[in-house]
Amino acid sequence: MNTAMNFLTVLFVFLLLAAPSLYGAAHDRRIDRQIREAQQAARRDAERPSRRVEFTTVA
């Protein structure tokens, strides 16, 4: 029983110390994914020809 308690205590302390780092890493990955998607969308928009229509008026 004492060995199990020691193991759980060490595991709890490890998780307590590692949690902020793991949360930060997940946050950074999400930000990186959003930046990558925005860059790909901008690249697609730049490749697509503009559909600008010139309007003329008859005088």
Side-chain angles (χ1 to χ4, degrees):
M1 183 69 178
N2 197 14
T3 304
M5 259 329 235
N6 289 341
F7 176 75
L8 289 176
T9 302
V10 170
L11 183 63
F12 175 75
V13 170
F14 172 75
L15 291 176
L16 191 66
L17 293 174
S21 293
L22 295 174
Y23 178 77
H27 180 69
D28 287 347
R29 287 177 54 99
R30 186 179 77 230
I31 297 292
D32 290 344
R33 186 180 68 240
Q34 290 173 346
I35 291 172
R36 194 176 326 112
E37 288 172 357
Q39 287 173 342
Q40 289 173 352
R43 205 173 298 127
R44 279 192 304 263
D45 290 343
E47 291 173 356
R48 184 183 317 155
S50 70
R51 303 180 93 190
R52 186 174 178 192
V53 178
E54 296 293 329
F55 292 102
T56 57
T57 58
V58 178

